[in-house]
């Protein structure tokens, strides 16, 4: 094993770099000093909540930006606007756009009243949501009957008239459309497993493997591409 020592002066300290085989070690901790290609400080991102605000910022050229702007659709609820790479290989972050979406409780059983309110307040209404609301809105205050539960469909006791009750089949899977991306774009529909149990209580479980996120991001990119047509913008997702 051959050892070689090189001496350097850092301030008033003498630093040695010792070679042991193919590895090098210093006798003092060292910090890397980045070369300064562009002394301009990084821009501080402006936080907004809507895609409309992002479009207005870019179209109005609020900060007099001459170069192209890179718009990155990070997720269904987050979009960032950057500068192109600078000489120091960093970017300025001009805009941070975060969607305001309601809190939806998936995979958690809740009482019928809370479930009913959530389904009406946090979802776009369609044929399937109407069917689910019809079921939960007419449940008799008795235990949910699971004797015919085959793992896919359930039968529950619901009021059929003033004093009579009947068994109805709970639809599964259901196609629902929650509010889970920016309000300016179409909300993607996806499959959910709807289940009930004694209490009575109800819950929905996501059943599309997260594919809805891809559709949501494509909708956001499509919206921005249309609204920013002709602008010096590159959109990625």
């Amino acid at each position: 094993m051959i050892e070689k020592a090189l001496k350097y002066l850092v301030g008033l300290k003498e630093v040695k770099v010792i070679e042991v085989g193919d590895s090098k070690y210093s006798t003092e901790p060292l910090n890397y000093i980045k070369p300064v290609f562009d002394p301009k400080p990084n821009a501080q991102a402006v936080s907004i909540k809507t895609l409309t605000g992002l479009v207005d910022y870019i179209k109005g050229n609020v900060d007099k930006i001459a170069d192209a702007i890179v718009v990155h659709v990070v997720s269904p609820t987050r979009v960032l606007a950057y500068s192109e790479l600078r000489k120091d290989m960093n970017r300025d972050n001009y805009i941070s756009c975060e969607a305001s979406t309601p809190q939806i409780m998936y995979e958690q059983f809740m009482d019928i009243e809370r479930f009913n309110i959530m389904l009406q307040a946090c979802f776009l209404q369609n044929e399937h949501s109407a069917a689910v609301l019809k079921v939960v809105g007419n449940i008799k205050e008795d235990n949910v009957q699971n004797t015919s539960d085959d793992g896919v469909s359930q039968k529950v006791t619901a009021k059929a008239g003033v004093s009579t009750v009947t068994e109805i089949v709970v639809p599964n899977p259901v196609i629902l459309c929650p509010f889970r991306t920016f309000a300016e774009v179409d909300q993607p529909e996806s499959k959910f497993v709807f289940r009930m149990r004694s209490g009575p209580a109800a819950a929905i479980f996501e059943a599309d493997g997260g594919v809805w996120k891809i559709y949501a991001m494509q909708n956001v990119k499509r919206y921005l591409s249309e609204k920013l047509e002709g602008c010096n913008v590159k959109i990625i997702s």
Side-chain angles (χ1 to χ4, degrees):
M1 185 179 294
I2 300 174
E3 295 187 1
K4 297 180 181 178
L6 303 176
K7 297 181 179 180
Y8 295 89
L9 286 176
V10 179
L12 298 178
K13 289 185 177 180
E14 183 179 81
V15 179
K16 295 180 180 179
V17 177
I18 302 173
E19 294 185 5
V20 181
D22 294 331
S23 302
K24 296 182 179 180
Y25 303 87
S26 69
T27 57
E28 294 288 339
L30 302 175
N31 295 319
Y32 176 68
I33 300 176
K34 295 172 61 177
V36 179
F37 294 104
D38 187 353
K40 184 182 70 172
N42 288 335
Q44 183 176 1
V46 177
S47 296
I48 59 176
K49 295 293 184 182
T50 65
L51 295 178
T52 303
L54 174 62
V55 170
D56 291 343
Y57 172 84
I58 294 176
K59 279 192 167 182
N61 198 13
V62 176
D63 291 321
K64 312 300 180 188
I65 301 169
D67 299 325
I69 294 177
V70 179
V71 175
H72 181 197
V73 182
V74 181
S75 72
T77 57
R78 189 169 188 232
V79 178
L80 300 176
Y82 290 105
S83 68
E84 294 180 307
L85 281 176
R86 303 190 320 217
K87 292 181 180 179
D88 61 357
M89 304 306 289
N90 284 328
R91 300 179 187 271
D92 287 319
N93 184 194
Y94 302 129
I95 292 287
S96 177
C97 188
E98 302 276 351
S100 293
T101 55
Q103 183 177 3
I104 302 175
M105 299 172 65
Y106 302 113
E107 303 181 8
Q108 183 173 339
F109 282 92
M110 65 191 78
D111 63 74
I112 295 301
E113 186 69 16
R114 291 176 62 197
F115 183 85
N116 191 312
I117 293 171
M118 183 189 74
L119 198 60
Q120 293 189 66
C122 302
F123 290 71
L124 286 173
Q125 301 306 300
N126 60 16
E127 182 180 350
H128 282 225
S129 65
V132 173
L133 285 170
K134 184 176 180 180
V135 172
V136 299
N138 292 284
I139 294 298
K140 186 185 177 189
E141 292 295 333
D142 289 325
N143 290 340
V144 174
Q145 296 181 359
N146 288 323
T147 55
S148 298
D149 188 356
D150 61 3
V152 178
S153 61
Q154 287 180 294
K155 288 185 178 181
V156 299
T157 303
K159 294 179 181 178
V162 176
S163 59
T164 60
V165 295
T166 185
E167 284 189 346
I168 59 176
V169 177
V170 177
N172 260 315
V174 290
I175 308 298
L176 300 176
C177 191
F179 294 110
R180 47 189 172 178
T181 186
F182 291 92
E184 293 94 333
V185 304
D186 293 334
Q187 304 295 316
E189 291 183 333
S190 57
K191 291 182 179 180
F192 292 85
V193 175
F194 171 53
R195 300 291 290 175
M196 299 194 70
R197 68 182 184 188
S198 59
I204 53 173
F205 300 81
E206 292 185 274
D208 74 339
V211 175
W212 72 269
K213 296 179 182 179
I214 298 175
Y215 293 126
M217 292 170 67
Q218 289 175 344
N219 291 344
V220 172
K221 182 179 180 181
R222 187 180 304 111
Y223 173 87
L224 292 174
S225 298
E226 293 174 357
K227 296 296 182 181
L228 296 174
E229 186 177 2
C231 298
N232 192 14
V233 174
K234 300 174 182 178
I235 303 173
I236 59 175
S237 66

